[in-house]
Structure formats: structure tokens, C-alpha cells
Amino acid sequence: MSFENRQRVASCIEDIGTDINQVSQIFYRHLLQDTPALSRIFSGNTATLNRKFFNMLAALKNVKHLEKIEASIHQLGERHGQQYAVLSEHFAPTKKALMAALEEHLGDGFTAELRQAWDEVFDAVADLMKPAISHTRRIDDDSQALSGYDGDLLQTIGGEDVVLRIHQRFYDTIFDEPWLGKFFRGKHETTLARKQTEFMVAAFGGENRYRGDTPAFVHMHMLITQEQLEAREAILRNAIRDEGLSEEIVERWIKVDRGFWSGLVKASEEECVLKCFGQYPVVAKKPDGYVPPSS
Ligand code: HEM
Ligand code: HEM
């Protein structure tokens, strides 16, 4: 896969920009017409479906760094098999629908050269994901349990403003937390609260305005442990409760949040993946006498 072809695909995704939801609609039309059985996997309302499509393109855009992100693409494959009940044979119809959507959307702009680039890039990523798709996948309804999505939650919470307030409170605490705060030095709190809100609003069934990378990619260079995720969860629980929301909502929110953990958690610094020259693994040493936040 040539560097030019990776660039071509990345620029093509950039150019699609805010038209992404239109391309998504065309993609699903083709996909579900050709392979109706996939509606079981690609279920949900339009907002959910657009988010799934967006995630796929976001991952393909990062392919510029494919060699460096092999481990995280492997994990992505595992999640597809274990959590989303995807099979290796689903990649061919997905690719076909994606190509058809690009062709329909870009018209003459979808040159033979660009088609070739997409063809190569999709196959390269799919070939890394497929071997990780385990045969012992879970295909029962429980597979929804960790899907990082709850389609009615935004409404139940009371809308985006509430989510934003909770995140502001959450980051206020986390920035000052003795251990987790180390990750956030030099970061802009208000921007993070906004991005996190856009991200979670989509996961709670609202509009998808999040334009960042998927969490697995964002945190690829950070050594995030289970213990840190649990400390973060305690802070999040408190931030939700302090808004006066019910325990039922707290549990639903946390369930969605936990759906993203498997892509983040690492056992050692060696599992950190660097995206660009000059980046270094972010490792936060536990402070002596650390007392974890309680919820
Ligand atoms: C090269 C091909 C693909 C790429 C790069 C890709 C990428 C992604 C990414 C980045 C996510 C976000 C969630 C996560 O990080 O775990 C995702 C979710 C998902 N993908 Fe894929 N995907 C690909 C192929 C497929 C195929 C072939 C299917 C099924 C036919 C599929 C079905 C799903 C589903 C159901 C989700 C769950 C979304 C949710 O509920 O949040 N993907 N994909
Ligand atoms: C202990 C666990 C975690 C730590 C230490 C952590 C740390 C961070 C840091 C430092 C950033 C800023 C990255 C940057 O601007 O360079 C960030 C961004 C972000 N994190 Fe986390 N995170 C954790 C867990 C999670 C989880 C579980 C989720 C998903 C529910 C998540 C979603 C996000 C999102 C959406 C962004 C914004 C990315 C962007 O800039 O577009 N994080 N995180």
C-alpha cells in the first residue's frame, strides 16, 4: 500500500467533511439492499448508523500510521468479533457498499486512481482486523451490553446542556486529581469538556457532531490501566449525581462509558503506540499514599 494512496484516502475523507451523513445514507442504502441480513448488525436509528459509518471512516483516515497502529487495529478486530458480532465475510459487502457510496457521492471525482487507493486501504485494514475476529464471538443480545451506545439516554438525561455541565464538573475534578490529573497537564479543560460532550451525545442517541478520532486512537499513546479507569469512573459517577440525576441514569451512562474501555486499557508501556515523530508514551506514576476517589 503506497504512501500516496494512504494520503489520497485521508484527503478524500477530509474533503467529504460535513457531507459525511449524506454519504452514510447512500452507504446503508446499498449495504442493506445487497445484504439485508446485515441490518441485524447495523441496527439503530439514523443517528446511530451515521455514527458507525463515521467511526469506520475515522479509522481509515488514521491509516497513514498503519504500521504504528497495528496493535490497535488488531484490538478493533477483536471488538468487531466479540462485541459487534461481525464475521470475516461481512467485510466484502461492506467494502462494496462503501465504494458504491463514494462513487455516487463523488461522481467524476471518484477517479480510477482514487478507487484504487480506497481499494488498497480498505483491504489493508480489513486484513489486519479479520484474523482477530474470534470464532468464540458472542452473538446473543448481551453483545449490546458493551456497545458504547444507549439510544434514548440523551432525552432521559435532559439534553446536551446537562451533559455539558456534567462534563465541566467531571473535568474540574479530574484536572486536580493527584494521579489522573497528570494526564491532563497542558490540556484545555473547556475544549475537552465540549469534545467529550459531543462524543457522548452521539453515544446517547443524539446528533453526531464529534469530529475527533475514536477513543482507542486518541488514547493510543497513553498507558491507561484498569485502576485508573475505575478512579475516573468514580469521579464521573459523582459528577452525574451532583447534577441531581437518578441512580438509574448513572448506571446507564456508566454502561455506555465502559463500552469504550477495552480499546483504551493497556497492560504496560510497551502497548502504547506513538502516532508521530516526537510523541512519547504518557505514563502517570501513582503518587505515594494515593487514595482513590470514592463514589
Ligand atoms: C476496514 C473496515 C472497518 C473499520 C476500519 C471499522 C472501524 C470501526 C470503528 C473505529 C468502530 C468504533 C468502535 C470501536 O472502536 O470499537 C466501529 C464500530 C462498529 N463497526 Fe466497524 N469497521 C470496519 C468494518 C466493519 C464491518 C465489516 C462491520 C459489519 C458488517 C462493522 C460493524 C461495526 C459495528 C456494528 C460497530 C459498533 C458501533 C457501535 O455500536 O458503537 N464494521 N467500526
Ligand atoms: C483513565 C482513563 C482516561 C484518561 C486518563 C483519559 C485521558 C485523556 C486525555 C489526556 C485527553 C486529551 C487528549 C489530547 O488532547 O491530546 C483525552 C481526550 C478524550 N478522551 Fe479520554 N481519557 C480516559 C478515558 C476515556 C474514556 C473511557 C473515553 C470514552 C468514553 C474517553 C474519551 C475521550 C474523548 C472523546 C477525548 C477527546 C478527543 C479529541 O480531542 O477529539 N476518554 N482523554
Side-chain angles (χ1 to χ4, degrees), residues 171 174 180 183-184 187 192 195-196 199-200 210-213 215 218-219 221-222 224-225 228-229 232 256-257 260-261 264:
Y171 280 115
I174 219 164
L180 298 179
F183 285 94
F184 294 91
K187 303 288 172 201
L192 267 177
K195 285 190 169 176
Q196 186 77 28
F199 181 81
M200 291 312 275
Y210 179 69
R211 291 289 171 264
D213 290 307
V218 171
H219 305 84
H221 59 301
M222 302 179 204
I224 294 179
T225 63
Q228 287 166 340
L229 281 162
R232 174 183 168 281
V256 174
D257 191 84
F260 299 100
W261 287 20
L264 269 59

Side-chain angles (χ1 to χ4, degrees), residues 2 13 29 36 63 100 111 170 178 201 228:
S2 71
I13 297 171
R29 176 158 50 74
V63 87
T111 57
F170 167 70
V201 159
Q228 287 166 340

Side-chain angles (χ1 to χ4, degrees), residues 193-210:
R194 180 179 52 77
K195 285 190 169 176
Q196 186 77 28
T197 300
E198 286 173 357
F199 181 81
M200 291 312 275
V201 159
F204 294 160
E207 190 193 345
N208 183 7
R209 282 185 285 106
Y210 179 69

Side-chain angles (χ1 to χ4, degrees), residues 124-262:
V125 176
D127 287 349
L128 283 174
M129 287 171 73
K130 281 186 212 167
I133 291 187
S134 130
H135 294 291
T136 54
R137 71 198 186 280
R138 290 186 295 149
I139 49 169
D140 50 322
D141 278 348
D142 201 35
S143 62
Q144 291 298 315
L146 277 178
S147 72
Y149 186 70
D150 182 336
D152 307 320
L153 193 49
L154 187 65
Q155 219 180 347
T156 314
I157 288 172
E160 179 159 345
D161 291 349
V162 182
V163 180
L164 181 61
R165 275 203 300 276
I166 291 171
H167 281 141
Q168 280 161 342
R169 195 175 304 121
F170 167 70
Y171 280 115
D172 272 352
T173 311
I174 219 164
F175 268 63
D176 289 338
E177 211 271 342
W179 194 14
L180 298 179
K182 294 184 179 187
F183 285 94
F184 294 91
R185 285 195 188 133
K187 303 288 172 201
H188 195 266
E189 190 182 329
T190 319
T191 308
L192 267 177
R194 180 179 52 77
K195 285 190 169 176
Q196 186 77 28
T197 300
E198 286 173 357
F199 181 81
M200 291 312 275
V201 159
F204 294 160
E207 190 193 345
N208 183 7
R209 282 185 285 106
Y210 179 69
R211 291 289 171 264
D213 290 307
T214 56
F217 192 81
V218 171
H219 305 84
M220 214 160 66
H221 59 301
M222 302 179 204
L223 173 55
I224 294 179
T225 63
Q226 181 74 21
E227 192 184 354
Q228 287 166 340
L229 281 162
E230 283 165 14
R232 174 183 168 281
E233 179 177 307
I235 297 171
L236 182 57
R237 282 177 183 274
N238 291 337
I240 305 168
R241 281 192 196 117
D242 287 351
E243 189 66 29
L245 297 180
S246 69
E247 281 309 304
E248 189 221 323
I249 293 180
V250 174
E251 293 310 324
R252 282 173 65 184
W253 182 315
I254 294 297
K255 194 164 155 186
V256 174
D257 191 84
R258 285 188 183 175
F260 299 100
W261 287 20
S262 66

